[in-house]
């Protein structure tokens, strides 16, 4: 049975290999554009910065050099039920310098399209067993991000040799560029 997390709650991740599923629904918009939300992963070292540019995993760099984090591809519409984008994680392959993996969802071309996370609902992040499909944990974001164009859904972090997941749910107005500046 899956653990449902609240913002700030942390739980140990026992599986070395799993999938991060991210999902959302969007409101009908009068901006004239479809929503294109994108999931990204930042693999950080002890200093809180990306290990190297190749450790920023997103739709244009689908796999980290150590093959521990792999984005399964960009969903341009978010149509359908369940996960809109997924990221496979294999902690047995992760670079020993890695201390944290941040999972962010951004709205592509948000300022031009006059879109923000206030127009997004039913957003979630979940971890499930890649082989069996069994959901291990889930965090449903229930805040109203009325001006934010990017949201840090959650993070995996390493403490005393143990990997844990924390439900974050923090938004930023500057989109992906602001996260790149923060973690680069």
């Amino acid at each position: 049975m899956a653990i449902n997390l609240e913002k700030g709650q942390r739980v140990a991740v026992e599986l070395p290999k799993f999938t991060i599923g991210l999902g959302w629904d969007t409101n009908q918009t009068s901006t004239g554009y479809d929503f294109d939300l994108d999931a990204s992963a930042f693999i950080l070292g002890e200093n809180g910065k990306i290990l190297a540019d190749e450790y920023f995993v997103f739709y244009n760099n689908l796999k980290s050099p150590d093959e521990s984090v792999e984005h399964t591809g960009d969903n341009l519409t978010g149509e359908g039920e369940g996960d809109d984008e997924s990221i496979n994680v294999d902690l047995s392959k992760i670079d020993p310098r890695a201390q944290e993996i941040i999972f962010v969802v951004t709205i592509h071309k948000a300022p031009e399209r006059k879109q923000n996370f206030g127009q997004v609902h039913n957003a979630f992040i979940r971890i499930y067993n890649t082989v069996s499909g069994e959901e291990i944990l889930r965090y449903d974001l229930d805040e109203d991000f009325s001006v934010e164009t990017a949201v840090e859904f959650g993070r995996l972090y390493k403490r005393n040799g143990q990997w844990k997941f924390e439900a974050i749910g923090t938004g930023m107005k500057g989109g992906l560029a602001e996260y790149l500046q923060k973690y680069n």
Side-chain angles (χ1 to χ4, degrees):
M1 186 166 158
I3 299 170
N4 286 313
L5 300 176
E6 294 180 19
K7 184 174 182 169
Q9 192 173 357
R10 301 166 187 204
V11 64
V13 177
E14 305 293 334
L15 280 178
K17 203 173 185 178
F18 50 86
T19 300
I20 302 282
L22 301 123
W24 51 80
D25 292 321
T26 56
N27 297 342
Q28 295 297 339
T29 178
S30 59
T31 65
Y33 298 98
D34 289 334
F35 277 82
D36 178 10
L37 277 68
D38 298 310
S40 304
F42 296 84
I43 303 170
L44 311 178
E46 214 172 275
N47 63 356
K49 301 295 182 186
I50 300 170
L51 295 177
D53 289 346
E54 301 80 27
Y55 286 89
F56 167 48
V57 178
F58 68 117
Y59 59 85
N60 273 342
N61 179 40
L62 295 176
K63 194 182 291 187
S64 62
D66 58 11
E67 299 183 352
S68 65
V69 176
E70 181 179 2
H71 195 299
T72 61
D74 190 12
N75 178 338
L76 298 175
T77 65
E79 292 294 317
E81 295 295 311
D83 300 339
D84 291 302
E85 293 194 8
S86 300
I87 299 172
N88 295 320
V89 178
D90 185 347
L91 295 174
S92 70
K93 293 181 176 181
I94 199 156
D95 187 302
R97 300 173 297 158
Q99 297 297 307
E100 192 170 6
I101 307 171
I102 306 292
F103 299 97
V104 171
V105 176
T106 56
I107 301 174
H108 186 65
K109 296 185 178 181
E112 297 165 39
R113 297 176 177 182
K114 296 179 174 56
Q115 296 172 341
N116 60 58
F117 269 92
Q119 299 160 315
V120 175
H121 58 280
N122 299 331
F124 66 86
I125 182 170
R126 69 188 190 112
I127 293 179
Y128 65 92
N129 183 316
T130 308
V131 176
S132 71
E134 176 190 1
E135 189 171 275
I136 299 161
L137 61 87
R138 180 184 185 99
Y139 170 47
D140 293 307
L141 282 78
D142 55 6
E143 290 109 72
D144 178 21
F145 298 105
S146 58
V147 296
E148 291 83 354
T149 58
V151 176
E152 188 173 321
F153 277 43
R155 72 182 184 120
L156 282 167
Y157 66 97
K158 191 175 180 181
R159 290 287 185 276
N160 301 320
Q162 169 72 50
W163 284 93
K164 298 181 179 193
F165 178 82
E166 180 180 9
I168 301 289
T170 302
M172 285 192 176
K173 296 176 189 173
L176 186 57
E178 195 168 350
Y179 280 105
L180 285 168
Q181 185 177 23
K182 179 179 179 179
Y183 294 124
N184 217 349

